[in-house]
Amino acid sequence: GSKAILNALSENGYADVAYQVASQETFPSWGWWIVNGATTFYENWDIEAKRDLSLNHIMFGEINAWYYKALGGIKPDPENPGFKNVLLKPNFVDGLDYFTAEHDGPYGKIISSWKRENESVIYQVTIPANSSATLSLVGNSILLDDEQIKHSSYATILSEGKEMIIHLESGSYEFKIDL
């Protein structure tokens, strides 16, 4: 269950709960390992286990990919493999004030970064040359470079509603999302 729980929660609208699970400092958790001196992924949650205790075990390592996929929102597009088109769907979770994820894809560096400012989130994204992105954002108001997105020549709204889906050409962008 540990490998699947964070993604299952995040992909079904519970990224805040996934973040709480990932960052809790009580047993059993990744945070509990950290406050007890672990610097790698152990084989068991119980760091006092007398057997089967590898101190460098990837079984609990999915949390690393979850940071990119859920908090940064960076995912490959199955319709355009190799990050030719990047799927972006960041989760602005409660309890975290800022987050940055970078991925060196075949077309260059993909950057997904956000920070809270009062009741808003400033989301910055970089899409490398010769690629594009499909960005999904949820908010009461979404601005690109302090303007309505409808007036942008390099970002196209694909759908509006509770979730706004935007096609982005390569480049660097800054969005302001009022939550």
Side-chain angles (χ1 to χ4, degrees):
S2 299
K3 181 175 170 79
I5 189 71
L6 300 178
N7 291 312
L9 288 167
S10 297
E11 291 169 7
N12 288 286
Y14 297 97
D16 286 324
V17 175
Y19 177 69
Q20 290 172 0
V21 169
S23 63
Q24 73 186 24
E25 295 180 352
T26 56
F27 179 85
S29 70
W30 294 273
W32 184 80
W33 277 345
I34 293 168
V35 298
N36 283 282
T39 58
T40 59
F41 297 113
Y42 289 7
E43 185 174 357
N44 293 306
W45 288 119
D46 181 4
I47 62 176
E48 301 297 325
K50 299 297 181 202
R51 61 184 188 92
D52 298 327
L53 191 57
S54 163
L55 300 181
N56 192 7
H57 203 81
I58 194 59
M59 181 176 72
F60 292 108
E62 178 61 21
I63 190 171
N64 291 334
W66 175 79
Y67 290 129
Y68 289 88
K69 295 185 288 187
L71 300 179
I74 301 172
K75 295 182 182 177
D77 183 347
E79 303 294 319
N80 296 282
F83 290 99
K84 180 68 174 168
N85 185 70
V86 181
L87 299 181
L88 295 167
K89 190 174 183 178
N91 287 289
F92 314 125
V93 296
D94 291 334
L96 195 57
D97 292 330
Y98 60 91
F99 183 83
T100 299
E102 297 180 1
H103 175 72
D104 289 320
Y107 297 95
K109 188 173 289 200
I110 302 159
I111 303 171
S112 176
S113 178
W114 56 266
K115 67 178 177 176
R116 293 184 180 280
E117 286 188 359
N118 301 317
E119 300 299 315
S120 300
V121 169
I122 304 301
Y123 177 62
Q124 296 175 321
V125 60
T126 298
I127 307 303
N130 299 314
S131 61
S132 59
T134 303
L135 171 63
S136 300
L137 294 173
V138 175
N140 296 321
S141 169
I142 301 172
L143 301 176
L144 171 58
D145 298 327
D146 292 323
E147 295 183 13
Q148 294 294 322
I149 299 172
K150 293 177 184 177
H151 300 108
S152 173
S153 60
Y154 40 86
T156 306
I157 296 175
L158 301 176
S159 71
E160 291 184 79
K162 181 180 177 187
E163 179 177 41
M164 183 179 285
I165 301 175
I166 308 157
H167 175 80
L168 300 173
E169 298 297 326
S170 60
S172 293
Y173 301 92
E174 182 174 287
F175 294 88
K176 180 179 181 184
I177 302 110
D178 290 335
L179 303 175

